[in-house]
Amino acid sequence: MYLGGGDSMYRMMIVDDQMKEVEGITELIDWNSLDIEIVGYANNGKEGVEKSKELNPDIIITDVIMPIMDGIEMIRQIKNYKPDVKVIFISCFDDFKFVSKAIEQGIYAYVLKPILPSEFIGTVNKVLGICEQETEKAIELMNLRKKVKESRELLIDQFFKNLLFGVFDNSESIYMQAEFLELDLEKLKNIRVAYFEIKSKVNENKYYDIISIIERLREQYKQYHFVLTDLEHIAVVLTNVTDNTHEIGLILKDMVEVKLYVGVSNAEREIEKANRCFMEAKSAIEYKFYTGADKIIYTNYVNLNSVPNELDFLNINNEIKKLLFSGEKSNTANFLGSIFTENESADELKYKSFTIINSIHFHLATIKFDMEKFLGKYSQIIDDIYNLHRICKSAEQSSKF
């Protein structure tokens, strides 16, 4: 069906066994002025059925009495596969009862022979009015479906962003929203997170560039979920523990001239632990200063898997947010005292420190606060945390003397 706009027109086919009638109809009206294109002709009903499949007309003007197959039977067959086609019958007085029956079956209009131009134009305009009403409804429905689809995609994107950032208060909230969005929870078991940092040349269209990159990746890897955390970071929820991180990295390198850094978490069997995976991947990527660009840094490679399972990432995030905006020093000391305990290994200290720094960095970034003014250079902070094992070792050696 013609949906309006551009150079598109309603498609019309004329079916009549009398060539003079066909020529008369063709010349009677300036069809182009009505947005109608005559796409073809047929000499009888059988030919009309065959050509309608090829030409796909929106409107058919047809005689009733024809050899081989009459107009009524032709339309009955055509409506089996094109039910919305509009039909104008041309008939004699002798055929009136025949045509009346056809109209009862859903035929839109008829014109009596001999054809009077004014009557014929009025009938055509009547059919065009019906076509335009249906076109408007079709466009409205198409736009509604598009909006629903876009809204769902935005809600799914926000769902995974909330999941990674630890926004959900409990498992019930996660499952309720997943059910509302019609997400297959079975496919969200056995997950890990890959965190891509993209260092590209700064340009005015960077936002649109990275959005187009994500759209391409989503099309190619429909089983994964891609989340734009900021203009330089893409988090990927890898499902069923399949790991195409290397392939995704190659696509990113191919699309944009970038230095690429990638951190990958350990695998988890529960979707509730997506935030833990995200924090692990973010922490792993901070080792980029030692591995260099274009390397995949796995959490177990940097020994972050030695962190106790009872570390509550959601609570840490929430507490840090409160402390940052309250400014209470005593509360800060109490909070740190609850996180760090005596006799912890260097790996545990590093991981907890990475977690706290990354959480602070995230919350300050959301309010566009300059972290360097608050804590100093980020790279220096990471260096200091990474060197914790040397400090611990020196302290251990000093205690022996």
Side-chain angles (χ1 to χ4, degrees), residues 42-61:
N43 294 320
N44 57 67
K46 183 178 179 183
E47 187 180 351
V49 172
E50 293 168 355
K51 285 202 170 182
S52 69
K53 293 177 181 177
E54 174 190 343
L55 301 173
N56 192 31
D58 301 302
I59 302 169
I60 295 175
I61 296 179

Side-chain angles (χ1 to χ4, degrees), residues 161 165 195-199 206-207 210-211 214 227-235 278 282 361-362 365-366:
K161 191 173 288 187
F165 289 162
Y195 191 61
F196 292 82
E197 183 172 283
I198 304 168
K199 293 291 185 181
K206 188 168 185 180
Y207 175 77
I210 202 163
I211 289 296
I214 288 180
V227 176
L228 177 64
T229 61
D230 56 54
L231 285 182
E232 291 189 341
H233 296 91
I234 300 174
F278 180 56
K282 284 189 70 176
H361 187 268
F362 167 71
T366 58

Side-chain angles (χ1 to χ4, degrees), residues 269-306:
R269 296 181 63 84
E270 300 167 355
I271 191 65
E272 294 93 327
K273 293 185 178 177
N275 176 243
R276 176 187 176 91
C277 291
F278 180 56
M279 299 302 288
E280 284 181 354
K282 284 189 70 176
S283 296
I285 209 173
E286 301 309 339
Y287 282 78
K288 65 188 178 186
F289 301 107
Y290 307 97
T291 63
D294 304 330
K295 298 287 194 305
I296 299 175
I297 309 167
Y298 286 90
T299 296
N300 52 9
Y301 169 76
V302 290
N303 296 319
L304 298 181
N305 57 335
S306 60

Side-chain angles (χ1 to χ4, degrees), residues 103-346:
I103 291 173
E104 289 173 4
Q105 295 174 356
I107 306 306
Y108 284 89
Y110 71 94
V111 176
L112 295 176
K113 295 180 182 180
I115 299 173
L116 299 176
S118 59
E119 181 186 350
F120 187 56
I121 291 171
T123 301
V124 170
N125 282 328
K126 174 188 172 185
V127 171
L128 278 177
I130 295 169
C131 288
E132 287 168 3
Q133 286 178 7
E134 291 186 359
T135 296
E136 288 175 6
K137 289 180 180 179
I139 291 173
E140 286 178 10
L141 182 59
M142 186 170 62
N143 289 336
L144 179 60
R145 286 174 176 167
K146 184 179 178 182
K147 286 179 181 178
V148 168
K149 182 181 178 183
E150 289 173 351
S151 298
R152 182 174 181 271
E153 288 173 354
L154 287 172
L155 288 171
I156 289 174
D157 186 60
Q158 190 60 49
F159 169 79
F160 280 98
K161 191 173 288 187
N162 292 344
L163 199 61
L164 295 178
F165 289 162
V167 172
F168 291 106
D169 294 327
N170 50 55
S171 299
E172 185 180 358
S173 299
I174 294 173
Y175 288 109
M176 281 181 64
Q177 197 164 130
E179 184 178 357
F180 172 75
L181 294 171
E182 298 179 348
L183 296 173
D184 188 346
L185 292 175
E186 286 300 315
K187 292 181 179 178
L188 295 178
K189 292 181 178 178
N190 300 321
I191 64 164
R192 69 168 78 224
V193 171
Y195 191 61
F196 292 82
E197 183 172 283
I198 304 168
K199 293 291 185 181
S200 62
K201 296 178 181 178
V202 177
N203 61 76
E204 294 179 358
N205 297 317
K206 188 168 185 180
Y207 175 77
Y208 300 101
D209 288 344
I210 202 163
I211 289 296
S212 64
I213 289 170
I214 288 180
E215 286 175 354
R216 176 177 164 181
L217 290 170
R218 281 175 175 162
E219 185 63 30
Q220 188 158 345
Y221 296 96
K222 293 180 180 179
Q223 71 273 35
Y224 299 152
H225 300 278
F226 295 82
V227 176
L228 177 64
T229 61
D230 56 54
L231 285 182
E232 291 189 341
H233 296 91
I234 300 174
V236 187
V237 180
L238 305 167
T239 54
N240 294 323
V241 197
T242 53
D243 188 353
N244 294 99
T245 305
H246 180 68
E247 292 175 21
I248 295 170
L250 290 177
I251 291 173
L252 287 170
K253 293 285 289 182
D254 182 56
M255 292 182 73
V256 194
E257 290 183 14
V258 295
K259 285 185 177 179
L260 198 63
Y261 304 93
V262 190
V264 180
S265 74
N266 287 315
E268 292 287 354
R269 296 181 63 84
E270 300 167 355
I271 191 65
E272 294 93 327
K273 293 185 178 177
N275 176 243
R276 176 187 176 91
C277 291
F278 180 56
M279 299 302 288
E280 284 181 354
K282 284 189 70 176
S283 296
I285 209 173
E286 301 309 339
Y287 282 78
K288 65 188 178 186
F289 301 107
Y290 307 97
T291 63
D294 304 330
K295 298 287 194 305
I296 299 175
I297 309 167
Y298 286 90
T299 296
N300 52 9
Y301 169 76
V302 290
N303 296 319
L304 298 181
N305 57 335
S306 60
V307 179
N309 289 327
E310 62 268 17
L311 193 61
D312 190 338
F313 293 96
L314 178 59
N315 184 56
I316 289 174
N317 267 325
N318 291 337
E319 286 300 317
I320 287 174
K321 184 177 180 180
K322 290 177 186 175
L323 292 170
L324 283 172
F325 294 106
S326 71
E328 291 289 336
K329 291 184 179 180
S330 59
N331 291 342
T332 301
N334 291 335
F335 167 71
L336 292 174
S338 68
I339 298 297
F340 296 100
T341 58
E342 293 183 5
N343 302 320
E344 289 189 316
S345 68

Side-chain angles (χ1 to χ4, degrees), residues 391-401:
I391 297 170
C392 292
K393 188 173 181 180
S394 296
E396 185 182 340
Q397 289 175 343
S398 298
S399 66
K400 292 179 180 179
F401 291 97

